[in-house]
Amino acid sequence: MQKLAPNDLLTLEAYARERGAFRARVLAHKQARSVPLGTHMTFLFEDRLTIQYQVQEMLRIERIFEAAGIQDELDAYNPLVPDGSNLKATLLIEFPDPDERAQRLAQLHGIEHRITLSVGALAPIAAIADEDMERSNDSKTSAVHFVRFELTPAHVAAFKRGEAVALAVDHPGYGARTTLSPATQTALAADLD
């Protein structure tokens, strides 16, 4: 999948005019790319469109219009665009109550390293977490992680054939497994080109 370049982005003025329609399109696009894992984890699988939206929003919020600033945002977000042999996701660990969240994030220390993706009968693929920076510390995990699943050619072929794909987490404080829906699997298969 091609990374974003400055000419792929709308100017601040154009984005202000088109933001409503663009946002609606991205939110609809994200529906098939959002995968809950248990009751407190959600994976938002990223692609070029979701990352374009993130960059456009950052440029808007920060009022960035200079070439160097735009390039900085692209450099920060482009690593989240899949490379054709992998799936990349933002992982959210969600506990609405702040006190419970603080307690549970301490209990779930290291959970980002206990996630796997399975395709058919092939060996599970371990998530590679937070390559850009360490988000956890010695006492707790973070509520947000960036993960990558690097697929072998056999995994890609099985994925595209429609063999069952499942996400799982196996941590002493949290275990769950979910099979991707056909709509999600179809959406994510487009990332593997």
Side-chain angles (χ1 to χ4, degrees):
M1 191 171 289
Q2 188 177 28
K3 304 294 185 189
L4 291 166
N7 62 355
D8 295 318
L9 302 172
L10 298 171
T11 65
L12 291 178
E13 295 81 12
Y15 187 62
R17 285 190 305 273
E18 297 181 30
R19 183 173 181 246
F22 186 67
R23 184 175 188 274
R25 184 174 132 221
V26 172
L27 291 177
H29 178 75
K30 282 184 173 185
Q31 285 183 343
R33 303 181 70 81
S34 177
V35 180
L37 183 58
T39 55
H40 298 287
M41 293 177 76
T42 302
F43 289 81
L44 301 171
F45 284 91
E46 306 290 2
D47 70 354
R48 196 169 190 272
L49 181 62
T50 66
I51 296 305
Q52 181 182 356
Y53 176 69
Q54 290 290 353
V55 171
Q56 292 283 180
E57 283 294 300
M58 289 304 298
L59 297 177
R60 181 185 75 85
I61 291 165
E62 300 291 331
R63 299 247 176 248
I64 298 170
F65 58 89
E66 294 176 350
I70 292 168
Q71 191 59 54
D72 287 346
E73 293 301 320
L74 290 171
D75 292 345
Y77 284 96
N78 263 333
L80 296 174
V81 176
D83 299 326
S85 64
N86 52 42
L87 299 173
K88 297 181 179 181
T90 301
L91 165 61
L92 306 172
I93 302 174
E94 303 165 302
F95 293 93
D97 178 71
D99 294 330
E100 179 186 13
R101 181 173 45 248
Q103 179 184 25
R104 295 289 286 152
L105 291 177
Q107 293 169 350
L108 297 175
H109 183 263
I111 195 168
E112 66 273 19
H113 303 295
R114 307 287 299 261
I115 299 163
T116 58
L117 179 84
S118 298
V119 183
L122 298 169
I125 302 163
I128 301 166
D130 302 327
E131 293 177 286
D132 61 333
M133 63 183 278
E134 189 61 41
R135 288 182 163 68
S136 298
N137 61 35
D138 291 339
S139 61
K140 70 173 187 68
T141 193
S142 175
V144 178
H145 295 279
F146 298 106
V147 298
R148 173 173 59 93
F149 298 97
E150 199 63 44
L151 282 69
T152 67
H155 285 94
V156 171
F159 198 110
K160 289 185 170 194
R161 278 195 307 270
E163 292 189 29
V165 178
L167 272 174
V169 59
D170 180 18
H171 184 277
Y174 191 94
R177 181 178 174 85
T178 190
T179 301
L180 273 57
S181 71
T184 296
Q185 193 162 339
T186 298
L188 298 185
D191 298 350
L192 301 172
D193 289 327

